[in-house]
Amino acid sequence: MTSEVVIDVRQNEVSIALLEDKNLVEYQTEPRSASFAVGNIYIAKVRKLMAGLNASFVDVGYERDAFLHYLDLGLQFSSYEKYLKQVQSDRKKLYPFAKASHLPDLKKDGSVATTLKKDQEVLVQVVKEPISTKGPRLTCELSFAGRYLVLMPFYDKVSVSTKIRSSEERARLKQLIQSIKPKNVGVIVRTVAEGKRVAELDSELKILMKRWEDTIAKVQKTTTRPQLVYEEESRVVALLRDLFNPSYENIYVNDEQVFQEVREYVALIAPEKVGIVKHYTGNVPIFDNFNVTKQIKSGFGKIVNYKHGAYLIIEHTEAMHVVDVNSGNRTKAEKGQEGNALEVNLGAADELARQLRLRDMGGIIIVDFIDMNLAEDRQMLYERMCKNMQHDRARHNILPLSKFGLMQITRQRVRPAMDVNVDEDCPTCFGSGKIKSSFLFTDQLEGKIDQLVNKIGVKRFYLHVHPYVAAFINQGLVSLKRKWQLKYGLGVHIIPSQKMGFLQYEFYDDKKQFIDMKEEVETK
């Protein structure tokens, strides 16, 4: 199986696509200014105590207060609290972390009302992004994740991933980390650390310790509350940190700065693979070039088609995701009704496993498969679903089919599910239902080009239009594009883009920065 990562960096957002055998299996997109990402650490104030929930609401600067349960304070909360007071007591000299005292563990059956008080300052980390009407979810058990290790201040234990099967390797890693880790910190050894040398692990441990020390230094110097004191790595690098696999063949990036970030990160964790990071400089949009746009359009939406006319209907409610499996207009009859039902259900299991990763669906998922009478067929379907989900990095649990033919799946949810709207609003009438004649569309474009060249002074630009419109502009020996170039200069470039609606257009300068040339009044 070949794996490739395609990163589309635009002015306002970054999108990342993971392709396996050219098929889109994971997709993430978020604004470049996104905040409250999982892993961010804040020094914040307790806003309200809720004794009935044994929890508190904390102000981290979000429109809704964040939720912090008593059990999420962590066993070492007393040690954190005392060290935080020592750090803030002297704004000039930082109290050394190595001298921090280790206090008794917090009681598991304690009460938030006796542990916290209103307006108390706490050091918290986001574990779940804001979802729907809920604010972020927090923890006081801070962790700093690297490629091979996870550093946890005050936890003074070394744990090794259970996915490392060899007892000798587990013992080696545990002994190795015990010998190099500083005082007052715990370390979790991740699966990918298997077989790594002490120099690699020691180098990363020092990097993680530096992040913790910088975080505390920022807490000491800042006085405003709430305040972001540690920001998770850029979304691109953070995703690569968890996703990166030595089997990757290519990582394509269309932005010079992000290309350098990714290249530096890969050079740090896998120097021999640095050559797979490539800067894409083509004029065709990067997602169009690698057939990602088409797969996004067909992979999202309420109805998802898969093989032989069968399809899934995916609905998202406040409480859960509901998936209905339909056989569609299948006419095969050789295997009989039971055989056809099994074939459709197995295909649905394959597609559903991809959809869970693609949309990052989390929480409770209920799947209504086509009814099957044979117990062995139902067991085969359950085993197929379990096998398909082995590639999923998110924690999940799958139950066998109930007597109603329903499969229940729970999947870890740390951020909102990807909900890409594949329906296209009319780009020319803005919902009014009235547009200028489509025959005048090229005249309208020429007017925009004239304004851009002669009034704004942009001599070199790229006009993105629907592929059909691009074909019309480029057709003939003396094409419309050639006429525009003769009239306005050779800086006029026409780019077909699958993202564009039929009469939609976008202008970009020679640095690929968006130029807003649209006026809503022009269509009325």
Side-chain angles (χ1 to χ4, degrees):
M1 180 175 65
T2 61
S3 298
E4 295 178 310
V5 176
V6 182
I7 303 169
D8 182 17
V9 183
R10 293 191 292 279
Q11 193 169 348
N12 298 319
E13 65 180 9
V14 178
S15 300
I16 305 169
L18 173 62
L19 305 177
E20 291 179 355
D21 292 334
K22 304 297 182 182
N23 293 317
L24 181 66
V25 292
E26 290 198 29
Y27 176 67
Q28 292 283 346
T29 184
E30 68 175 36
R32 297 188 76 172
S33 59
S35 55
F36 305 104
V38 171
N40 285 0
I41 297 177
Y42 294 83
I43 179 75
K45 279 190 175 183
V46 175
R47 178 71 66 86
K48 189 189 299 181
L49 299 176
M50 303 292 288
L53 297 173
N54 202 19
S56 62
F57 286 98
V58 179
D59 177 18
V60 292
Y62 188 65
E63 57 189 71
R64 291 180 179 272
D65 288 341
F67 183 79
L68 176 64
H69 194 273
Y70 174 81
L71 294 177
D72 290 324
L73 292 175
L75 297 175
Q76 309 303 322
F77 179 73
S78 301
S79 303
Y80 271 114
E81 185 181 24
K82 182 176 180 180
Y83 183 58
L84 197 59
K85 289 178 181 176
Q86 291 170 329
V87 166
Q88 294 177 309
S89 63
D90 189 347
R91 298 288 180 187
K92 294 182 179 178
K93 186 178 180 182
L94 183 64
Y95 189 85
F97 178 62
K99 293 184 179 180
S101 52
H102 207 87
L103 299 181
D105 291 353
L106 204 67
K107 293 180 180 178
K108 291 185 179 180
D109 57 351
S111 166
V112 72
T114 57
T115 309
L116 296 176
K117 56 182 181 288
K118 191 174 183 295
D119 292 331
Q120 179 177 341
E121 293 189 0
V122 285
L123 199 58
V124 291
Q125 187 168 32
V126 177
V127 291
K128 277 189 180 180
E129 292 179 12
I131 296 174
S132 186
T133 58
K134 301 172 185 174
R137 174 123 189 203
L138 306 176
T139 182
C140 288
E141 296 183 280
L142 306 186
S143 62
F144 297 82
R147 171 73 176 151
Y148 307 120
L149 307 172
V150 178
L151 180 80
M152 300 185 72
F154 287 113
Y155 270 77
D156 221 17
K157 284 183 183 178
V158 176
S159 304
V160 181
S161 168
T162 55
K163 291 183 181 178
I164 298 177
R165 304 288 185 186
S166 168
S167 56
E168 293 85 0
E169 178 63 7
R170 291 172 61 84
R172 181 189 78 87
L173 288 169
K174 193 164 187 175
Q175 186 177 5
L176 191 156
I177 297 299
Q178 286 281 17
S179 67
I180 63 174
K181 82 174 186 66
K183 185 184 175 185
N184 273 346
V185 297
V187 176
I188 299 172
V189 182
R190 305 182 77 173
T191 309
V192 290
E194 187 171 6
K196 298 300 176 185
R197 301 189 308 274
V198 63
E200 295 174 274
L201 301 180
D202 185 48
S203 173
E204 181 165 277
L205 189 58
K206 287 176 180 174
I207 292 170
L208 297 179
M209 272 303 295
K210 180 71 165 55
R211 290 179 188 171
W212 163 239
E213 290 164 359
D214 290 346
T215 299
I216 285 300
K218 196 166 182 180
V219 170
Q220 180 203 25
K221 291 173 184 175
T222 59
T223 54
T224 56
R225 302 291 185 265
Q227 177 70 43
L228 175 67
V229 291
Y230 170 74
E231 189 167 12
E232 182 59 289
E233 297 161 315
S234 72
R235 188 76 198 107
V236 174
V237 173
L239 186 71
L240 279 178
R241 183 190 65 206
D242 297 330
L243 273 182
F244 187 80
N245 190 306
S247 66
Y248 282 175
E249 292 196 346
N250 296 293
I251 300 174
Y252 296 101
V253 192
N254 67 343
D255 180 85
E256 177 68 32
Q257 182 182 344
V258 176
F259 164 72
Q260 293 297 341
E261 285 179 18
V262 173
R263 187 179 170 84
E264 287 170 12
Y265 180 71
V266 174
L268 180 67
I269 62 171
E272 73 283 358
K273 301 291 288 185
V274 72
I276 68 173
V277 184
K278 297 171 183 176
H279 185 203
Y280 176 79
T281 56
N283 287 330
V284 177
I286 188 169
F287 273 7
D288 288 9
N289 188 69
F290 293 100
N291 199 33
V292 175
T293 306
K294 185 176 180 181
Q295 293 191 62
I296 291 172
K297 296 277 187 182
S298 61
F300 288 90
K302 180 179 174 180
I303 298 175
V304 179
N305 294 294
Y306 60 103
K307 59 184 179 182
H308 306 308
Y311 59 94
L312 304 177
I313 297 178
I314 302 175
E315 295 273 11
H316 183 196
T317 70
E318 185 71 21
M320 66 183 73
H321 289 84
V322 183
V323 182
D324 185 34
V325 179
N326 289 275
S327 59
N329 56 356
R330 290 170 58 89
T331 56
K332 282 189 174 182
E334 309 91 45
K335 300 178 183 178
Q337 183 177 344
E338 183 74 14
N340 276 347
L342 176 62
E343 189 177 344
V344 170
N345 284 340
L346 292 177
D350 296 341
E351 180 60 28
L352 180 60
R354 186 178 81 99
Q355 287 290 328
L356 293 180
R357 292 175 67 189
L358 184 59
R359 301 179 187 225
D360 202 13
M361 291 160 62
I364 301 171
I365 300 110
I366 304 295
V367 191
D368 181 14
F369 285 102
I370 296 173
D371 291 340
M372 296 183 295
N373 297 321
L374 299 178
E376 56 264 34
D377 288 350
R378 294 195 292 272
Q379 180 63 23
M380 188 188 301
L381 176 60
Y382 170 68
E383 291 174 359
R384 178 75 158 261
M385 195 70 208
C386 291
K387 181 181 177 183
N388 290 338
M389 292 291 285
Q390 287 176 356
H391 301 292
D392 198 331
R393 292 176 297 111
R395 290 198 301 270
H396 58 270
N397 191 22
I398 306 171
L399 296 182
L401 269 72
S402 70
K403 62 181 180 181
F404 298 124
L406 302 177
M407 181 178 284
Q408 301 167 70
I409 303 172
T410 60
R411 187 175 182 273
Q412 181 186 25
R413 178 171 69 170
V414 295
R415 58 179 56 89
M418 286 295 302
D419 187 17
V420 178
N421 183 13
V422 296
D423 295 330
E424 296 178 355
D425 293 328
C426 176
T428 51
C429 76
F430 299 94
S432 69
K434 295 180 180 179
I435 64 172
K436 291 180 180 179
S437 170
S438 55
F439 290 109
L440 301 177
F441 179 60
T442 52
D443 294 341
Q444 182 182 338
L445 288 180
E446 185 172 353
K448 296 294 181 184
I449 293 170
D450 180 59
Q451 183 182 353
L452 199 61
V453 173
N454 297 321
K455 292 185 180 178
I456 302 177
V458 178
K459 304 295 183 183
R460 181 180 172 82
F461 58 87
Y462 297 87
L463 171 58
H464 289 225
V465 290
H466 189 278
Y468 289 175
V469 177
F472 176 77
I473 293 173
N474 287 313
Q475 74 170 348
L477 289 174
V478 186
S479 64
L480 201 52
K481 173 187 172 182
R482 179 61 60 195
K483 292 177 182 176
W484 289 348
Q485 287 179 333
L486 290 171
K487 188 173 181 181
Y488 301 106
L490 295 175
V492 179
H493 300 278
I494 309 298
I495 307 296
S497 174
Q498 296 174 14
K499 284 199 317 177
M500 297 294 106
F502 186 60
L503 296 181
Q504 191 177 5
Y505 60 92
E506 287 181 354
F507 285 92
Y508 292 85
D509 63 19
D510 57 352
K511 294 181 181 177
K512 306 295 175 69
Q513 297 296 308
F514 175 68
I515 307 171
D516 189 359
M517 296 294 293
K518 288 190 179 179
E519 302 171 27
E520 188 167 338
V521 295
E522 73 188 12
T523 63
K524 299 197 175 170

